[in-house]
Amino acid sequence: MRNKEIKSVYYITLLFSVLIIACSDQITGDLFKGKTPHERYSEHLENAGLNGSILYERWLAASVQSLQQPIEISVPYQEKAYFGADFPNAAGYLFEARDGEQLQIEISPQSLDSVQLFIDLFARATDTTQNHMHLASVEADSTFLSYTVRRNGEYILRIQPELLSDVSFDLRITAEPSLSNPVAENAKQHIGSFFGVDRDGGRRSHEGIDIFADRMTPAVAATDGVIRRVGTNNLGGKVVFLRAQDRPISLYYAHLDSQIVSTGQTVKTGDTVGLIGNTGNARTTPPHLHFGIYTSNGAVDPLPFVRPGKSTPSAITSDIGRIGDTLRISTSNHDVAIHTPLIIEAAALNGYRATLPDQSKVFVSENQVTNTSQPLRTLTLRKEKLVYRSPHLLAAIVNRYPAGEQVQILAEIDDYYLIENNFTKGWIEND
């Protein structure tokens, strides 16, 4: 009884400390200036003396694991998810993004209490000995992040709630254009040739995209900037170079029928720079705008800048009523052994993002899992068994069953059974 009283006092004290941290900004000061909200919260916990607590260590471990073992997704993506208050958790999402895309990350939390979600975006390190590069965070008063990708590569989104938080949320990730359309919006148009295709029998490759439209259709500034050059050349005919104001790129407009701007002129997004034609080596083709983008390293694909095509995530068709439930693998899965239990954290596409007993994350299809309400079988214990909270011998002991006791096996993993008896669930060794 004395140990239970001490444990209760400990958790009440811990809860009180966490609530003070969550509700107060007075201790932030200049000490945390320039740090991310996630880093500031972690230091608040340490300064409150919680860095030695089990909850804090689990919260920190979850944040690290989410970056080390993120679940792979494809943008656009959406899910309905849940974080429970009983165990510190975090979610990491690994995805590819291309130079010029503008990532739009929107989280819509639903909670009875005011809960802060720490939302951070990282560029994944190509070297496993290095840390991922932090790129952007969402401040405490927002749940929306917009980030313009400057390099093709892999990126990681981390979402983690503060301690003792019980919160559901909707996540939506899309990639929108970071530049405006270089052809007048109201004009009929289509892209007829893409970046990288062969030209002149393979002697060179196409360094842009061709947007076909009627002759004399306005070609417009895709961003604010300065006209660096107006001229002619053999390939492009009448051309215009526009230097972007907000990033080190130059936009190239070619095959124009006429140029409307002059060198040194400042333009705003949507200003007409020329009229579409078929000058240069395009004189035997229908009128079109050759649109290119150049960096200090040469030409890059303009398509992600103007039409990434990642605005509409696939619908969620799996049963969202299973979010938060413990299920088990019912069919063969190359990632997870059959009969393995998992906790459903989110519904996405036709399946679920789930946590395994070792806290690693997986994505499973809806037809690969089943409820644990129907046990695999009934087992009569041949000897006394300790019941553990998790499937390892260092986990907390939650009960003890004598030899001859009957238990229902709900799931199994490695050398352990997940069992239930008299409304008590736990793990026993299966020797």
Side-chain angles (χ1 to χ4, degrees):
M1 177 65 75
R2 178 64 176 168
N3 288 337
K4 289 184 178 179
E5 290 177 353
I6 293 174
K7 187 175 182 180
S8 297
V9 170
Y10 168 77
Y11 278 105
I12 289 172
T13 303
L14 181 61
L15 174 60
F16 181 70
S17 299
V18 170
L19 289 176
I20 289 176
I21 291 169
C23 298
S24 175
D25 292 325
Q26 296 178 358
I27 63 174
T28 303
D30 293 333
L31 177 63
F32 303 120
K33 189 175 181 179
K35 296 184 181 295
T36 69
H38 189 279
E39 291 170 335
R40 292 198 297 266
Y41 181 74
S42 179
E43 293 193 15
H44 289 343
L45 294 176
E46 292 177 3
N47 291 338
L50 301 180
N51 54 318
S53 69
I54 294 176
L55 275 179
Y56 172 79
E57 296 300 330
R58 287 177 175 173
W59 184 83
L60 194 61
S63 71
V64 172
Q65 186 176 35
S66 67
L67 296 179
Q68 293 177 340
Q69 300 175 345
I71 195 160
E72 293 186 25
I73 64 170
S74 295
V75 176
Y77 176 82
Q78 66 176 340
E79 70 173 28
K80 291 184 176 293
Y82 170 72
F83 286 130
D86 55 340
F87 199 92
N89 204 347
Y93 308 84
L94 173 67
F95 56 89
E96 292 184 352
R98 300 182 66 191
D99 185 11
E101 293 178 343
Q102 187 173 68
L103 294 174
Q104 306 277 4
I105 300 169
E106 185 174 5
I107 295 93
S108 302
Q110 301 100 40
S111 177
L112 295 176
D113 303 312
S114 177
V115 174
Q116 182 171 3
L117 290 174
F118 302 105
I119 304 162
D120 296 275
L121 181 67
F122 300 82
R124 189 185 196 189
T126 55
D127 186 341
T128 56
T129 64
Q130 297 179 342
N131 293 328
H132 305 307
M133 180 184 296
H134 182 269
L135 300 174
S137 297
V138 174
E139 291 301 322
D141 58 349
S142 177
T143 55
F144 179 78
L145 188 153
S146 179
Y147 179 79
T148 300
V149 178
R150 300 297 172 91
R151 183 179 300 174
N152 295 342
E154 293 184 319
Y155 294 81
I156 299 174
L157 173 68
R158 181 183 65 195
I159 303 176
Q160 185 171 28
E162 57 190 342
L163 278 173
L164 306 176
S165 296
D166 193 82
V167 58
S168 299
F169 64 94
D170 294 342
L171 168 65
R172 180 183 174 93
I173 308 174
T174 61
E176 307 298 338
S178 63
L179 296 178
S180 294
N181 191 344
V183 176
E185 284 288 352
N186 59 354
K188 184 178 180 181
Q189 56 191 279
H190 72 278
I191 298 176
S193 184
F194 294 89
F195 182 85
V197 300
D198 286 345
R199 286 289 190 268
D200 297 336
R203 291 191 296 274
R204 63 183 181 90
S205 61
H206 195 215
E207 293 188 346
I209 57 175
D210 290 342
I211 307 175
F212 286 79
D214 291 340
R215 186 181 302 276
M216 309 303 284
T217 297
V220 300
T223 186
D224 296 350
V226 176
I227 302 301
R228 289 302 187 194
R229 181 175 165 235
V230 177
T232 60
N233 62 53
N234 291 334
L235 290 179
K238 295 180 179 180
V239 301
V240 170
F241 284 89
L242 189 164
R243 182 67 173 177
Q245 176 180 294
D246 63 345
R247 67 190 97 172
I249 60 173
S250 291
L251 312 185
Y252 176 58
Y253 298 76
H255 305 318
L256 298 173
D257 183 88
S258 57
Q259 298 126 314
I260 308 298
V261 291
S262 58
T263 300
Q265 181 179 335
T266 298
V267 294
K268 295 291 185 182
T269 302
D271 289 348
T272 299
V273 300
L275 301 177
I276 289 177
N278 61 343
T279 57
N281 69 348
R283 57 187 173 274
T284 61
T285 69
H288 65 274
L289 171 68
H290 172 92
F291 180 68
I293 297 178
Y294 291 86
T295 70
S296 59
N297 295 320
V300 297
D301 189 357
L303 197 64
F305 288 79
V306 294
R307 298 184 189 176
K310 300 178 180 180
S311 296
T312 307
S314 298
I316 299 171
T317 60
S318 50
D319 182 5
I320 63 174
R322 285 178 153 182
I323 299 173
D325 290 350
T326 298
L327 307 180
R328 68 169 176 261
I329 295 293
S330 58
T331 61
S332 178
N333 183 303
H334 68 279
D335 293 320
V336 189
I338 193 169
H339 299 159
T340 298
L342 29 67
I343 298 175
I344 304 303
E345 293 187 348
L349 301 170
N350 64 342
Y352 302 103
R353 176 171 59 80
T355 298
L356 297 174
D358 64 357
Q359 300 306 305
S360 62
K361 314 289 184 180
V362 295
F363 188 88
V364 294
S365 298
E366 186 174 27
N367 60 11
Q368 292 178 319
V369 294
T370 188
N371 293 324
T372 57
S373 56
Q374 294 295 324
L376 295 172
R377 57 189 178 276
T378 299
L379 175 68
T380 300
L381 301 182
R382 291 180 296 175
K383 60 181 181 179
E384 181 183 76
K385 289 285 187 180
L386 296 177
V387 184
Y388 299 93
R389 185 176 300 278
S390 304
H392 55 84
L393 297 179
L394 297 179
I397 298 173
V398 297
N399 211 334
R400 185 191 304 266
Y401 290 146
E405 186 83 7
Q406 285 194 332
V407 297
Q408 293 181 327
I409 298 177
L410 307 181
E412 58 187 344
I413 182 172
D414 298 330
D415 298 325
Y416 291 86
Y417 293 136
L418 176 64
I419 58 94
E420 183 176 40
N421 184 41
N422 296 326
F423 304 104
T424 299
K425 286 185 179 180
W427 294 86
I428 63 172
E429 291 185 274
N430 66 2
D431 51 359

